[in-house]
Amino acid sequence: MLVVVPTPIGNRQDITLRALESLKSADLIAAEDTRHSGLLLQHLGIKKPFLSLHGHNESSRCSEVAERIAGGATVALITDAGTPGISDPGRRLVETCVARSLLVTVLPGPCAAVTALVGSGFPCDRFFFGGFLPVKSGRRHRELSEAAARSETSVFYESPHRLTKTLAALTEVAPTRKLCVARELTKTFEEYRRGTAAELLAHYEAHPPKGEITLLIAGAETEPGE
Ligand code: SAM
């Protein structure tokens, strides 16, 4: 069986009892970065054989892992933080197991996008998740324009180094839209900062952002008068 196990996005206490149990009982742990995950498992007092499964070897490793599962092994899949498959490796392995009719189970757990969405206070009955915003400015501009036209909340992962550029682009494509920068969630300096693009741009130009960031753009129907 393949068990997809979300891990904390900052606060190590956010490991669930089922995640602990699954990691303890797995025959093998497939991890995005074995050194990084080694530290978490050491903290949890778990010692298991590791196999690396990251963005660059996922395709080739899939059949090897699926073969182990077909032979009766229970493999737990983890990434550096959060839910595997969400802007992280994992999707191909799940697809391979499904194609081979191998049992797959996914534990619910930490995910920055969902945590940020709920904490933003923006409507979360329907939402769009865009993963990482494109690095190239033309594509990023297009993605932001599409978000501005959407009626539901849009959620993106963003780098602290590009946040002010993105906010500057948003002053053009969505000047009155409510935005939320969710930063360092579950960590000591957790912050939800809400405002228009110009307000947030002024803040982050004066206080350059650090750490991990999820950016939320409220839907068009939350605009005043709409
Ligand atoms: N699979 C992960 C999940 O379920 O959230 C996401 C992995 S993706 C490679 C990492 C990105 O998620 C970061 O660059 C950041 O944009 C966002 N992120 C991760 N942890 C975060 C946190 N504690 N606070 C805000 N955003 C976070």
Side-chain angles (χ1 to χ4, degrees):
M1 172 164 64
L2 174 68
V3 189
V4 180
V5 182
T7 53
I9 56 168
N11 188 326
R12 281 182 167 177
Q13 303 218 52
D14 290 335
I15 191 91
T16 68
L17 295 175
R18 270 186 84 200
L20 269 178
E21 209 38 62
S22 301
L23 292 170
K24 277 185 195 156
S25 60
D27 298 302
L28 175 72
I29 296 177
E32 181 181 13
D33 178 339
T34 51
R35 236 181 42 178
H36 179 99
S37 296
L39 294 175
L40 175 69
L41 292 193
Q42 196 180 345
H43 169 78
L44 299 173
I46 298 171
K47 213 167 177 309
K48 285 282 163 182
F50 265 129
L51 178 141
S52 85
L53 189 140
H54 46 71
H56 301 296
N57 73 0
E58 188 176 357
S59 309
S60 56
R61 275 285 155 93
C62 277
S63 43
E64 187 183 337
V65 176
E67 210 48 52
R68 296 283 296 266
I69 296 171
T74 295
V75 177
L77 170 68
I78 58 177
T79 53
D80 290 355
T83 301
I86 302 299
S87 296
D88 262 345
R91 201 269 302 166
R92 284 205 184 98
L93 180 58
V94 173
E95 186 182 47
T96 304
C97 291
V98 169
R100 293 188 57 169
S101 301
L102 299 169
L103 204 57
V104 177
T105 189
V106 181
L107 309 194
C111 175
V114 174
T115 308
L117 174 68
V118 176
S120 69
F122 298 163
C124 42
D125 43 351
R126 290 189 310 138
F127 66 96
F128 170 85
F129 173 60
F132 278 102
L133 275 166
V135 174
K136 293 216 167 121
S137 66
R139 285 189 52 212
R140 190 156 33 134
H141 218 274
R142 213 171 314 131
E143 189 78 62
L144 294 172
S145 302
E146 283 172 21
R150 221 167 260 134
S151 59
E152 64 265 37
T153 304
S154 298
V155 185
F156 295 102
Y157 289 152
E158 180 58 308
S159 140
H161 313 295
R162 282 188 290 273
L163 180 67
T164 52
K165 275 196 186 145
T166 295
L167 291 172
L170 281 164
T171 61
E172 292 168 24
V173 299
T176 57
R177 191 63 52 81
K178 290 187 225 160
L179 308 178
C180 176
V181 174
R183 197 173 64 81
E184 293 289 87
L185 298 179
T186 76
K187 304 186 199 178
T188 310
F189 298 107
E190 172 173 296
E191 170 185 71
Y192 288 93
R193 190 164 287 276
R194 304 170 184 84
T196 61
E199 287 163 351
L200 293 173
L201 180 60
H203 174 82
Y204 286 114
E205 275 179 345
H207 308 92
K210 289 190 192 137
E212 301 200 90
I213 289 173
T214 300
L215 173 69
L216 301 105
I217 303 172
E221 60 197 24
T222 63
E223 294 256 296
E226 285 190 25

